[in-house]
Amino acid sequence: MDRMRPQGVIIGTVAGLLLLANGAHALYDSNSAVVDLTPDNFQKVIKSDSIWIVEFFAPWCGHCKALVPEYEKAAKALKGFVKVGAVNVDDHRSLGAEYGVQGFPSIKIFGLDKKKPEDYNGPRTADGLIDGAFKAMKSAALSRIGKKSSSSSDSKSGSGNQKPHAETGGGKDVITLDDSNFEQLVLNSDEPWLVEFYAPWCGHCKSLAPEWAKAATDLKGRIKLGAYDADAQKSFASRYNIRGFPTIKYFPAGKKDSSEVVDYDGARNAEGIVAWAGERVAENLPAPDVKELTSNDVLTEAYAEAPLCIVAVLPHILDCQSKCRNDYLASLRKLAEKYKKNRWGWLWTEAGAHTNLEEAIGLGGFGYPAMAAVSAKKSKFTVLKGSFSFDGINAFLRELAAGRGSTEPIRGGKLPELSKSEPWDGKDGKLPVEDDLNLDDIELDPLTKDEL
């Protein structure tokens, strides 16, 4: 007998391990109200007169594990009304493939037409599942007497009164994406995109919605924000391996492949989204032109598109010839590149070309070269008081970028109208040539004795 004990222990241990192994592949035990469905018994769903709710799950899926207590609760509550089952797609991939399962958990409602189950996209709670089940029952009952349920569209989605994402805080500037438009709008776009992959039942997604809406409005014109319901639309959620909600991905401008798509890792609020997106967009922006201010149109265009204009007044060409001027312009272009993410406008003019502008922004009689930063929208300006050198201007701009520094109102209340001036031809300046004086043409009175 003693010799038999080790063998018995071994057998018992192996059996225990087998039980543990089997348990690891199942989320619902044999006593559960949730029916374990396999290819061998799935016909009980197809041939049944009852409504069935079926979850397609994977045992390793975190969302599937989180669903278990709510799904169990719903199964117990619906007992006698609606059948509730579950398919382990890891073990029975053929069933998952037959019903187009691409993500976990996927829940389908098998109503009257068992060949065409409907996706359930409602809240992942017992209440939501019960609500979806009874809507499906009502729809089936009315169909049997030749009537259509007024809430049939709700039962299809299983979402009750839940509105599409764009209507629950998505905002007017958030673009709704799905499998039919994703490639054309996002992947083939010449503009950058931030795309939120969400689920309507996800609490974090609902919290993000108003922040996402605000960010979309703040970023309008720079980057597009979209929202893709990864519960209802599976193709691109699968392509980009979406495992949790919300997941946000950045798609750069131009045609792109998966290797160019970047995960968003910033704060989940409007301010954080705008800052993160601004950094990304700025990385690919060309440096702004440092334009010569030759007309009112150039001035208007600059401040219409920029929150701030940097205006440099360079010395007259006779005081600072072409090499001197080009050195100044080279420094300005380097600084425009350095601060390009701020989307400032950059202008330069020659001293004396637009004296009314110089007076309006505090540079009249200031000495040249000189610089001011001008906000036409706020009718304010601030003047560079340090050195007009790369380091001096850089320190001035750094303060501006940080929102520091004192400002003054534009004199006269607004920027003046400018007259046209000739653009610089890139050459050295020359003094005007004076006519030679010919004394032969001048009659001189002879000097008197006293004048001698």
Side-chain angles (χ1 to χ4, degrees), residues 316-318 429-436:
H316 192 280
I317 193 63
L318 292 175
K430 292 182 180 180
L431 288 167
V433 178
E434 296 182 4
D435 293 334
D436 291 335

Side-chain angles (χ1 to χ4, degrees), residues 26-36 72:
L27 294 183
Y28 305 97
D29 61 35
S30 58
N31 296 322
S32 171
V34 178
V35 180
D36 180 30
E72 291 264 27

Side-chain angles (χ1 to χ4, degrees), residues 102-416:
Q102 294 182 325
F104 304 113
S106 287
I107 302 173
K108 295 181 181 287
I109 298 179
F110 290 75
L112 280 183
D113 187 351
K114 297 295 194 293
K115 293 181 180 179
K116 295 180 180 179
E118 298 170 349
D119 289 331
Y120 171 82
N121 293 321
R124 301 297 175 91
T125 62
D127 287 351
L129 289 160
I130 292 166
D131 189 45
F134 277 101
K135 284 190 169 101
M137 286 176 62
K138 181 181 178 183
S139 178
L142 289 174
S143 294
R144 286 175 176 166
I145 59 173
K147 291 185 177 182
K148 189 178 280 190
S149 170
S150 59
S151 60
S152 59
S153 61
D154 286 343
S155 66
K156 274 190 175 185
S157 65
S159 58
N161 295 324
Q162 194 167 355
K163 296 179 181 178
H165 183 73
E167 295 178 20
T168 58
K172 58 184 176 61
D173 295 315
V174 175
I175 298 167
T176 301
L177 298 168
D178 55 37
D179 289 341
S180 68
N181 66 10
F182 197 99
E183 186 161 1
Q184 179 186 355
L185 292 183
V186 179
L187 300 187
N188 295 333
S189 175
D190 290 330
E191 298 175 272
W193 280 75
L194 267 180
V195 177
E196 177 203 0
F197 294 83
Y198 75 96
W201 47 264
C202 162
H204 292 300
C205 304
K206 292 174 184 176
S207 298
L208 177 63
E211 300 296 323
W212 195 246
K214 186 176 186 306
T217 299
D218 291 346
L219 289 165
K220 193 172 183 180
R222 287 189 283 164
I223 181 170
K224 291 190 172 181
L225 267 67
Y228 177 97
D229 182 347
D231 234 17
Q233 308 292 320
K234 303 295 184 184
S235 179
F236 290 94
S238 175
R239 180 184 298 192
Y240 296 108
N241 198 31
I242 304 302
R243 295 294 185 189
F245 304 113
T247 294
I248 301 171
K249 291 186 177 285
Y250 173 74
F251 295 78
K255 289 192 176 181
K256 54 202 74 75
D257 57 36
S258 296
S259 64
E260 297 175 280
V261 179
V262 177
D263 286 330
Y264 173 84
D265 56 3
R268 298 298 177 94
N269 55 45
E271 185 178 356
I273 294 164
V274 170
W276 191 96
E279 290 285 345
R280 281 285 170 183
V281 173
E283 288 172 5
N284 300 306
L285 281 177
D289 289 337
V290 181
K291 296 181 179 178
E292 184 178 2
L293 188 51
T294 56
S295 69
N296 205 65
D297 289 342
V298 175
L299 179 64
T300 302
E301 182 184 353
Y303 72 67
E305 297 179 359
L308 205 63
C309 280
I310 309 302
V311 181
V313 182
L314 302 182
H316 192 280
I317 193 63
L318 292 175
D319 298 324
C320 174
Q321 294 284 8
S322 58
K323 183 184 183 310
C324 168
R325 179 171 288 184
N326 282 324
D327 286 345
Y328 281 133
L329 292 174
S331 290
L332 292 176
R333 291 188 185 105
K334 286 181 183 177
L335 289 160
E337 167 74 34
K338 181 179 176 68
Y339 290 92
K340 65 182 181 179
K341 70 179 182 180
N342 297 94
R343 300 182 298 119
W344 294 334
W346 289 77
L347 299 169
W348 73 273
T349 185
E350 182 178 79
H354 303 291
T355 53
N356 56 347
L357 176 65
E358 292 180 36
E359 292 290 341
I361 59 175
L363 298 180
F366 199 85
Y368 308 107
M371 176 179 284
V374 183
S375 170
K377 291 178 182 176
K378 295 182 179 179
S379 295
K380 291 181 179 286
F381 72 90
T382 184
V383 172
L384 166 67
K385 294 176 182 175
S387 165
F388 196 98
S389 63
F390 185 92
D391 290 340
I393 298 171
N394 183 46
F396 173 63
L397 299 178
R398 192 167 55 239
E399 292 292 298
L400 288 177
R404 294 191 290 264
S406 59
T407 61
E408 298 179 49
I410 291 174
R411 289 158 194 180
K414 63 178 182 178
L415 292 174

